[in-house]
Amino acid sequence: MHHLPPLSSTNTLGPMFCRPQLRKPQLRKPLALLIGAVAMTAGAAQAETITVATVNNNDMVIMQSLTEEFEKAHPDITLDWVVLEENVLRQRMTTDIATQGGQFDVMTIGSYEVPIWAERGWLVPLDNLPEDYQESDLLKPVRDGLSHDGVLNALPFYAESSMLYYRTDLFEQAGIEMPEQPTWQQVHDWAETLHDPENNVSGICLRGKPGWGENMAFVSTLVNTFGGRWFDMDWNPEINSEAWQNAISFYVDLLNNYGPAGATSNGFNENLALFSRGNCAMWVDATSAAGKLFNPDESKVADRLGFAPAPVAETPKGSHWLWAWSLAIPASSNSPDAARTFITWATSQDYVNLVGETQGWTSVPPGTRQSTYDNENYQQAAPFAGFVVDAINAADPLDSSLEPNPYVGVQFVGIPEFQAVGTQVGQMVASALSGDTSVEQALSAAQNATERTMKRAGYPK
């Protein structure tokens, strides 16, 4: 916002009143300026402030940096930002929405929360979007995941699947050729070969920070491809199954032997920083990291970066996830119209173009619009573009495990209880990774805790 300086700091009125010889017509201009200044000040005072809560990921940091662009185009709306670490954001959002606290006008939530919160009437439905928003341009898997009864309840800011990133220079030096579809056993062997702590290079980096959307987002896909699932068809937990035991034992062994020190502190952002500095030979995580890693201004490995599909073990099912960070309006917002104006701007084709032109095309929010992937500028700047959109379209939340399951979701279970379940299990998996408990003890405790939670919630239903 640009406010006029106080009238006392200008000479607008001083000369006018000390020269009585001025003719009357000449008084009109300064008086008009005064009236205009008062009107503008009043207009500025009436600007509606909306509070936007978002996660501290790179794409959202860029969105926040473009505040002035939005406010310039919409002088009647001021943005107030609350930017939080992922686990903290989720906790704050959930508490506020469940209590109808009204602290936020825009919430950054994901594919897990949207259908659950929409069903409870906690979100403002986003029907009758402006024609120029081009809703049909949104990728169908993303659009479907954010809809309830056929109506969008959040607009996708960026969407992602998961993939394997690797250092092509280290692979070439070791004589390793990346196959079209890597396996987890191959990844283990490569990590062993490439692990070089003396030169500050870990064989592999993976999420270890506990949280249903942190370590468990990755761990769930690992369990899927090892043949496991969260629940059987009668909603009985299977966390102490052989598939879970094999997957978590593999994960703990891999990270403890060939991962960075203190892995239980590393989530998405921490591993992104490690990989972009050259401290990881491999990293399996979100496709949304590709833009930053391929940007030479942001990444030291931009010129030696390879990518491949997320690894598989017993089955390819559920090996790569599907997620959309999205902007939603809580029903408790006092400024839903202004919030709607902002979220349609921030998720529009025009916004994608604005980021591409001002920040570089590798920095545009990925995974939401077909037009992004049809854009020649993006295709030239982002060699991963086609790969990512194929991965998003191939992820199947309705068929994510070797054995049939009763839930929707690849790296999460689409029921309200999963936030508690996933958080509990994530803490227990982290305790096994840190060596505070054995894998068997951790999974037994996770199984018991999940059984209690599900029983209290009235499952099976």
Side-chain angles (χ1 to χ4, degrees), residues 4-19 22 26-35 37:
L4 290 173
L7 291 175
S8 60
S9 67
T10 72
N11 292 322
T12 305
L13 298 180
M16 182 177 73
F17 285 109
C18 67
R19 283 190 254 164
L22 287 177
Q26 291 176 291
L27 287 170
R28 289 174 183 170
K29 187 173 181 181
L31 281 174
L33 285 173
L34 174 60
I35 293 165

Side-chain angles (χ1 to χ4, degrees), residues 52-102:
V52 182
T54 195
V55 67
N56 62 343
N57 291 351
N58 187 58
D59 291 279
M60 282 71 173
V61 172
I62 291 174
M63 175 171 58
Q64 186 185 9
S65 76
L66 293 170
T67 294
E68 191 175 331
E69 294 288 338
F70 173 79
E71 292 180 348
K72 199 190 316 178
H74 305 88
D76 56 334
I77 303 172
T78 301
L79 303 180
D80 179 31
W81 293 90
V82 177
V83 183
L84 300 166
E85 185 268 332
E86 189 168 319
N87 286 339
V88 178
L89 175 81
R90 288 194 162 111
Q91 188 176 19
R92 289 275 300 275
M93 298 297 92
T94 304
T95 300
D96 189 72
I97 199 86
T99 60
Q100 299 293 289

Side-chain angles (χ1 to χ4, degrees), residues 144 317 322 394-401 403-410:
D144 290 349
K317 281 191 177 183
L322 178 64
D396 190 352
L398 299 176
D399 186 18
S400 60
S401 57
E403 299 294 328
N405 70 60
Y407 49 86
V408 176
V410 180

Side-chain angles (χ1 to χ4, degrees), residues 90-347:
R90 288 194 162 111
Q91 188 176 19
R92 289 275 300 275
M93 298 297 92
T94 304
T95 300
D96 189 72
I97 199 86
T99 60
Q100 299 293 289
Q103 292 182 55
F104 310 106
D105 300 295
V106 174
M107 290 181 166
T108 303
I109 58 177
S111 306
Y112 165 72
E113 294 96 344
V114 174
I116 295 172
W117 293 5
E119 188 175 4
R120 295 183 176 193
W122 290 351
L123 302 175
V124 174
L126 300 170
D127 48 2
N128 299 319
L129 289 167
E131 190 176 334
D132 62 3
Y133 183 75
Q134 300 181 336
E135 184 179 337
S136 61
D137 184 41
L138 300 175
L139 296 177
K140 189 175 185 302
V142 176
R143 192 170 71 237
D144 290 349
L146 302 177
S147 298
H148 176 64
D149 289 341
V151 176
L152 281 164
N153 276 257
L155 301 182
F157 182 66
Y158 76 78
E160 64 188 31
S161 186
S162 52
M163 64 199 285
L164 168 62
Y165 301 99
Y166 66 97
R167 290 264 306 271
T168 56
D169 56 334
L170 299 181
F171 269 61
E172 287 169 10
Q173 289 166 20
I176 303 169
E177 192 169 325
M178 177 63 71
E180 194 171 319
Q181 174 60 70
T183 68
W184 275 112
Q185 186 55 54
Q186 287 174 320
V187 168
H188 179 279
D189 295 343
W190 299 333
E192 183 178 13
T193 300
L194 301 174
H195 190 55
D196 187 8
E198 289 183 6
N199 289 304
N200 294 318
V201 176
S202 297
I204 192 163
C205 293
L206 298 169
R207 296 189 191 191
K209 181 190 289 186
W212 71 265
E214 276 284 10
N215 63 343
M216 294 316 296
F218 166 75
V219 166
S220 293
T221 62
L222 183 69
V223 168
N224 290 340
T225 195
F226 268 75
R229 57 186 173 174
W230 278 93
F231 300 97
D232 68 16
M233 291 300 290
D234 294 319
W235 290 102
N236 297 305
E238 291 200 338
I239 301 168
N240 60 355
S241 67
E242 184 179 355
W244 271 82
Q245 297 276 355
N246 291 340
I248 304 305
S249 295
F250 175 87
Y251 165 77
V252 168
D253 173 75
L254 183 64
L255 264 186
N256 279 336
N257 286 322
Y258 314 118
T264 54
S265 298
N266 295 341
F268 170 77
N269 281 321
E270 292 80 8
N271 282 312
L272 175 59
L274 284 169
F275 195 93
S276 63
R277 289 198 302 261
N279 298 132
C280 311
M282 292 179 286
W283 180 34
V284 180
D285 213 298
T287 56
S288 58
K292 185 163 185 171
L293 292 177
F294 269 98
N295 182 347
D297 295 330
E298 302 271 356
S299 167
K300 291 182 178 178
V301 296
D303 60 344
R304 43 208 157 116
L305 179 61
F307 55 90
V312 302
E314 302 298 319
T315 176
K317 281 191 177 183
S319 61
H320 57 281
W321 66 63
L322 178 64
W323 182 258
W325 276 118
S326 308
L327 303 178
I329 306 169
S332 55
S333 168
N334 291 320
S335 303
D337 292 339
R340 185 185 176 100
T341 298
F342 171 69
I343 70 173
T344 51
W345 174 83
T347 60

Side-chain angles (χ1 to χ4, degrees), residues 139 159-161 163 165 287-291 294 305 307 361-362 364-393:
L139 296 177
E160 64 188 31
S161 186
M163 64 199 285
Y165 301 99
T287 56
S288 58
F294 269 98
L305 179 61
F307 55 90
W361 284 96
T362 58
V364 305
T368 59
R369 290 184 169 275
Q370 184 59 48
S371 56
T372 301
Y373 293 90
D374 295 339
N375 188 309
E376 289 185 9
N377 293 317
Y378 188 60
Q379 291 173 1
Q380 290 173 9
F384 51 84
F387 178 92
V388 169
V389 77
D390 288 347
I392 289 171
N393 284 323

